[in-house]
Amino acid sequence: MSLPTARITAQHLQTGQFNGRLVRAVGKLVNEDGNIATLQLAGEGPTASIHCPGGTSEFSGMSGKGYYEIVGTLNHDGTIAQMQTVFMGENFDLNMYAEMVTLTHQFPDLF
C-alpha cells in the first residue's frame, strides 16, 4: 500500500503544516551542489533545499531551465529529504500548478 502524499507549494515550507510528512513539490531547478539541489517551488515563497542521498547527478546541466517533481519528507527546517524525482520538462506552468494545489487543499473531496 502506498502512503498518501500532500502536494505542497513554497508557502507550505514555512507553515509547518506538513512537517514530517511525505510530500510532493514541483519547482524549477535553481542550483545543484553535491547532495543538495535548490528548487524554486510553485507559489510565492523561499527556495527549497532538496537533500539528495545519491547526489544531484540527475539534475546535471539543467540549472535554470529544468522542472522537477520531488517526492520526499518535509523536514522541520523546511528542507525536503528526496525519495523520488520526476523530470517534468523544460516548460512548466508553476502558477497553474500552485492554483491546482490551492484548490486541492480547499476542496479535498473533489480531488
mmCIF file of all heavy atoms in Angstrom, residues 22-23 49-53 70-75 79-84:
data_model
loop_
_atom_site.group_PDB
_atom_site.id
_atom_site.type_symbol
_atom_site.label_atom_id
_atom_site.label_comp_id
_atom_site.label_asym_id
_atom_site.label_seq_id
_atom_site.Cartn_x
_atom_site.Cartn_y
_atom_site.Cartn_z
ATOM 1 N N LEU A 22 5.181 12.880 4.139
ATOM 2 C CA LEU A 22 5.574 12.651 2.757
ATOM 3 C C LEU A 22 4.852 13.674 1.889
ATOM 4 O O LEU A 22 3.635 13.844 2.008
ATOM 5 C CB LEU A 22 5.191 11.236 2.338
ATOM 6 C CG LEU A 22 5.794 10.690 1.066
ATOM 7 C CD1 LEU A 22 7.317 10.675 1.142
ATOM 8 C CD2 LEU A 22 5.280 9.280 0.810
ATOM 9 N N VAL A 23 5.609 14.404 1.062
ATOM 10 C CA VAL A 23 5.038 15.476 0.246
ATOM 11 C C VAL A 23 5.491 15.346 -1.206
ATOM 12 O O VAL A 23 6.463 14.659 -1.513
ATOM 13 C CB VAL A 23 5.444 16.879 0.778
ATOM 14 C CG1 VAL A 23 4.906 17.108 2.176
ATOM 15 C CG2 VAL A 23 6.948 17.076 0.732
ATOM 16 N N SER A 49 15.509 23.607 -0.342
ATOM 17 C CA SER A 49 16.706 22.770 -0.412
ATOM 18 C C SER A 49 16.258 21.323 -0.387
ATOM 19 O O SER A 49 15.516 20.896 0.502
ATOM 20 C CB SER A 49 17.624 23.046 0.781
ATOM 21 O OG SER A 49 18.167 24.335 0.691
ATOM 22 N N ILE A 50 16.713 20.574 -1.386
ATOM 23 C CA ILE A 50 16.369 19.167 -1.522
ATOM 24 C C ILE A 50 17.609 18.347 -1.197
ATOM 25 O O ILE A 50 18.628 18.477 -1.876
ATOM 26 C CB ILE A 50 15.887 18.839 -2.956
ATOM 27 C CG1 ILE A 50 14.869 19.858 -3.463
ATOM 28 C CG2 ILE A 50 15.386 17.409 -3.029
ATOM 29 C CD1 ILE A 50 13.607 19.979 -2.670
ATOM 30 N N HIS A 51 17.543 17.533 -0.161
ATOM 31 C CA HIS A 51 18.669 16.675 0.210
ATOM 32 C C HIS A 51 18.578 15.388 -0.592
ATOM 33 O O HIS A 51 17.634 14.619 -0.447
ATOM 34 C CB HIS A 51 18.646 16.373 1.708
ATOM 35 C CG HIS A 51 18.932 17.577 2.538
ATOM 36 N ND1 HIS A 51 20.199 17.933 2.923
ATOM 37 C CD2 HIS A 51 18.104 18.539 3.021
ATOM 38 C CE1 HIS A 51 20.152 19.042 3.626
ATOM 39 N NE2 HIS A 51 18.888 19.440 3.701
ATOM 40 N N CYS A 52 19.570 15.175 -1.453
ATOM 41 C CA CYS A 52 19.587 14.037 -2.372
ATOM 42 C C CYS A 52 20.647 13.048 -1.901
ATOM 43 O O CYS A 52 21.846 13.284 -2.107
ATOM 44 C CB CYS A 52 19.896 14.499 -3.787
ATOM 45 S SG CYS A 52 18.829 15.821 -4.389
ATOM 46 N N PRO A 53 20.257 11.933 -1.281
ATOM 47 C CA PRO A 53 21.238 10.998 -0.740
ATOM 48 C C PRO A 53 22.174 10.414 -1.790
ATOM 49 O O PRO A 53 23.321 10.118 -1.494
ATOM 50 C CB PRO A 53 20.392 9.906 -0.079
ATOM 51 C CG PRO A 53 19.008 10.090 -0.567
ATOM 52 C CD PRO A 53 18.888 11.493 -1.068
ATOM 53 N N ILE A 70 9.461 16.544 -6.860
ATOM 54 C CA ILE A 70 10.206 15.868 -5.817
ATOM 55 C C ILE A 70 9.204 15.209 -4.879
ATOM 56 O O ILE A 70 8.265 15.853 -4.415
ATOM 57 C CB ILE A 70 11.078 16.860 -5.010
ATOM 58 C CG1 ILE A 70 12.002 17.651 -5.942
ATOM 59 C CG2 ILE A 70 11.850 16.145 -3.909
ATOM 60 C CD1 ILE A 70 13.036 16.836 -6.666
ATOM 61 N N VAL A 71 9.420 13.946 -4.585
ATOM 62 C CA VAL A 71 8.643 13.254 -3.562
ATOM 63 C C VAL A 71 9.611 12.962 -2.431
ATOM 64 O O VAL A 71 10.692 12.405 -2.655
ATOM 65 C CB VAL A 71 8.044 11.937 -4.099
ATOM 66 C CG1 VAL A 71 7.277 11.216 -3.000
ATOM 67 C CG2 VAL A 71 7.158 12.197 -5.304
ATOM 68 N N GLY A 72 9.247 13.385 -1.230
ATOM 69 C CA GLY A 72 10.128 13.160 -0.090
ATOM 70 C C GLY A 72 9.496 13.641 1.193
ATOM 71 O O GLY A 72 8.340 14.083 1.220
ATOM 72 N N THR A 73 10.249 13.590 2.253
ATOM 73 C CA THR A 73 9.770 14.005 3.569
ATOM 74 C C THR A 73 10.116 15.459 3.804
ATOM 75 O O THR A 73 11.274 15.859 3.634
ATOM 76 C CB THR A 73 10.405 13.135 4.669
ATOM 77 O OG1 THR A 73 10.108 11.767 4.396
ATOM 78 C CG2 THR A 73 9.874 13.511 6.041
ATOM 79 N N LEU A 74 9.119 16.244 4.204
ATOM 80 C CA LEU A 74 9.344 17.653 4.538
ATOM 81 C C LEU A 74 9.869 17.724 5.964
ATOM 82 O O LEU A 74 9.198 17.310 6.912
ATOM 83 C CB LEU A 74 8.053 18.462 4.404
ATOM 84 C CG LEU A 74 8.149 19.949 4.727
ATOM 85 C CD1 LEU A 74 9.168 20.656 3.825
ATOM 86 C CD2 LEU A 74 6.787 20.601 4.614
ATOM 87 N N ASN A 75 11.089 18.211 6.111
ATOM 88 C CA ASN A 75 11.724 18.324 7.427
ATOM 89 C C ASN A 75 11.275 19.593 8.138
ATOM 90 O O ASN A 75 10.773 20.523 7.530
ATOM 91 C CB ASN A 75 13.250 18.316 7.268
ATOM 92 C CG ASN A 75 13.747 17.028 6.661
ATOM 93 O OD1 ASN A 75 13.312 15.947 7.036
ATOM 94 N ND2 ASN A 75 14.633 17.142 5.698
ATOM 95 N N THR A 79 13.447 21.883 4.637
ATOM 96 C CA THR A 79 14.119 21.142 3.574
ATOM 97 C C THR A 79 13.320 19.885 3.263
ATOM 98 O O THR A 79 12.474 19.455 4.049
ATOM 99 C CB THR A 79 15.554 20.752 3.981
ATOM 100 O OG1 THR A 79 15.497 19.888 5.123
ATOM 101 C CG2 THR A 79 16.386 21.983 4.311
ATOM 102 N N ILE A 80 13.589 19.306 2.107
ATOM 103 C CA ILE A 80 12.904 18.078 1.719
ATOM 104 C C ILE A 80 13.945 16.981 1.522
ATOM 105 O O ILE A 80 14.923 17.172 0.795
ATOM 106 C CB ILE A 80 12.101 18.277 0.416
ATOM 107 C CG1 ILE A 80 11.033 19.351 0.624
ATOM 108 C CG2 ILE A 80 11.465 16.953 -0.027
ATOM 109 C CD1 ILE A 80 10.276 19.729 -0.642
ATOM 110 N N ALA A 81 13.740 15.855 2.193
ATOM 111 C CA ALA A 81 14.606 14.687 2.025
ATOM 112 C C ALA A 81 14.052 13.874 0.855
ATOM 113 O O ALA A 81 12.997 13.258 0.960
ATOM 114 C CB ALA A 81 14.649 13.865 3.299
ATOM 115 N N GLN A 82 14.764 13.902 -0.261
ATOM 116 C CA GLN A 82 14.312 13.294 -1.520
ATOM 117 C C GLN A 82 14.208 11.780 -1.420
ATOM 118 O O GLN A 82 15.093 11.115 -0.900
ATOM 119 C CB GLN A 82 15.288 13.665 -2.627
ATOM 120 C CG GLN A 82 15.024 12.965 -3.929
ATOM 121 C CD GLN A 82 16.291 12.749 -4.738
ATOM 122 O OE1 GLN A 82 17.338 12.490 -4.186
ATOM 123 N NE2 GLN A 82 16.184 12.853 -6.042
ATOM 124 N N MET A 83 13.088 11.267 -1.952
ATOM 125 C CA MET A 83 12.929 9.827 -2.112
ATOM 126 C C MET A 83 12.834 9.476 -3.599
ATOM 127 O O MET A 83 13.323 8.442 -4.030
ATOM 128 C CB MET A 83 11.671 9.344 -1.391
ATOM 129 C CG MET A 83 11.758 9.480 0.117
ATOM 130 S SD MET A 83 10.217 9.079 0.945
ATOM 131 C CE MET A 83 10.029 7.360 0.559
ATOM 132 N N GLN A 84 12.193 10.373 -4.354
ATOM 133 C CA GLN A 84 11.996 10.139 -5.788
ATOM 134 C C GLN A 84 11.960 11.482 -6.501
ATOM 135 O O GLN A 84 11.464 12.477 -5.960
ATOM 136 C CB GLN A 84 10.676 9.406 -6.010
ATOM 137 C CG GLN A 84 10.373 9.088 -7.454
ATOM 138 C CD GLN A 84 9.040 8.363 -7.597
ATOM 139 O OE1 GLN A 84 8.226 8.339 -6.689
ATOM 140 N NE2 GLN A 84 8.828 7.785 -8.761
#
